[in-house]
Amino acid sequence: MTTAQKISQESIYRERTPGSFEAFKRAGEVMPGVAKGAYYYAPYPVTIARAEGCHLYDVDGNRYVDFANHHTTQILGHNHPAVVQAVERQLAQGIAVAAPMGIETALADELCRRVESLEMVRFCNSGTEATLHAIRLAREYTGRHLIAKFEGGYHGSHDAVEISTSPDPAKAGPADRPVPVASAGGMPPNATDNVVILPFDDEAAVEAIVAEKRDELAAVILDPKTGVIPQRMDFVRAVREITARYGVLLILDEIVGFRASPGGVQAQCGILPDLSTYGKIVGGGFPAGAFGGRRELMSLLDPTLGKARVFQSGSFSAHPVTMAAGLAMLEVLTPDVYAGLDRLTDRLVHGLEDVFARTGTVATAATSGSTFSIYFTGGPVRTYRAVAAADKGPVSAVYLGLLNRGYYLSNGLAMNCLSAAMDESHIDGLVEAVAGTLEETRS
Ligand SMILES: Cc1ncc(COP(=O)(O)O)c(C=O)c1O
């Protein structure tokens, strides 16, 4: 792709979005660039005025079909009436109080009913907090300190897991024996000492590393993903078998898992993790996290049994409005809704594959559940090293090209998803928009 063509996508974008540019400039005066890191892409993000169903409307009046859906959370589309009504009902009872209001038990019941491995759950405010607390539980329960995570796996932003999320392969060691690399500045130098890195998609390497570290290893945390680096189900099952064989706990990160099925990825694979972590959909669009698992493990949190061995609380944890929204969203997510989403996702992936073939583009649509990623590499993409080897050159121009055509994806094209507010016309529209954008931006 030539610089002139890249500039042309950007100049169309700038012409369409002067109000967003003004909003971006004002924001940068009082926040470092943007309000949160994920908002930013070059040259500046669109500022959204309103969301409804599967559409976003920006401050300049442009309409987009939303394939980002609030980082995958809005699986029903925006402002689903069941969620809005549940929130309004809860608000009428009071925004929040420093006491249980009962609605949290209803959501806990729903989660334990849907997911066989959940005997008990606790609530927090984000996926980050959920993995933090699940890891503490695993360490306290086993009396061991090491955590194993997969290279390229993302489990939120705390020191135990923000390691090797997107390392420079040149610094990350051999593919079957990766070394831990801190992902963010500001971590203590010994943060990497507590983490062992495993490669995705390689059962033999996983077994060798787990066997070697078994005496120090509290847990393996695995995001089977739903989207960014989708894993084979038999690989997920193998990780469950390996951890069980060596007496190491398995934490399944299901923070995007309710994209896959009513019981998450674990129900699809037929496994029972020791602990599972949740976020996104469980809060129905409000800040949420949850973690849960076997009673014996979760009991370490129980203050009625004496002093809890692991403390977990938080001013906003189990917020009643979040609980009401999450419960309403889960209740709408019946098997039929999943079947409809899966049908649309199949149509999209086939459509994209046809477009890649038709336009001679070396690219892959990686998918699982109703999430999808576009990588400029031949597939399949099942390891971090495969993602790292993909051509990043076209991403920005294609992303801007799609915005210019009225399609809003995740800004690295890696964590896109459908919503139940879409129909075939939105899917076919995106396929044609990708075709048009690729034609326009290819070298
Ligand atoms: C698999 C996974 N785990 C954890 C997280 C962190 O969740 P949160 O952003 O709510 O802290 C994410 C966020 O995208 C995620 O996808």
Side-chain angles (χ1 to χ4, degrees), residues 284-302:
F286 289 82
F291 59 101
R294 297 211 315 269
R295 182 177 299 271
E296 170 198 15
L297 276 152
M298 295 301 288
S299 299
L300 301 188
L301 295 155
D302 188 345

Side-chain angles (χ1 to χ4, degrees), residues 65 67 344 347 407 422-431:
V65 183
F67 281 90
L344 289 181
R347 185 179 180 98
Y407 290 87
M422 292 173 177
D423 61 31
E424 291 173 355
S425 69
H426 303 108
I427 302 304
D428 297 349
L430 176 60
V431 170

Side-chain angles (χ1 to χ4, degrees), residues 46-90:
V46 283
T47 293
I48 298 299
R50 189 166 71 79
E52 187 63 45
C54 66
H55 290 113
L56 303 177
Y57 300 83
D58 73 14
V59 291
D60 293 293
N62 298 302
R63 189 176 84 160
Y64 305 89
V65 183
D66 185 8
F67 281 90
N69 289 300
H70 188 214
H71 312 297
T72 73
T73 300
Q74 297 292 354
I75 189 168
L76 302 178
H78 298 282
N79 305 349
H80 189 282
V83 177
V84 172
Q85 282 158 20
V87 167
E88 284 171 354
R89 267 198 310 275
Q90 191 60 44

Side-chain angles (χ1 to χ4, degrees), residues 126-128 154-156 223 225 253 255-256 280 415:
S126 64
T128 293
Y154 180 70
H155 305 286
D223 166 18
K225 207 67 145 190
D253 183 343
I255 282 159
V256 190
K280 303 204 193 258
M415 206 167 171

Side-chain angles (χ1 to χ4, degrees), residues 138 150 218-222 236-237 239-241 243-244 248-253 271-276 294 297:
F150 287 82
V220 170
I221 183 163
L222 166 65
V236 178
R237 284 193 281 268
V239 174
R240 171 65 288 189
E241 279 159 24
T243 46
V248 171
L249 298 180
L250 175 64
I251 303 172
L252 200 72
D253 183 343
I271 63 161
L272 298 175
D274 300 290
L275 290 167
S276 303
R294 297 211 315 269
L297 276 152

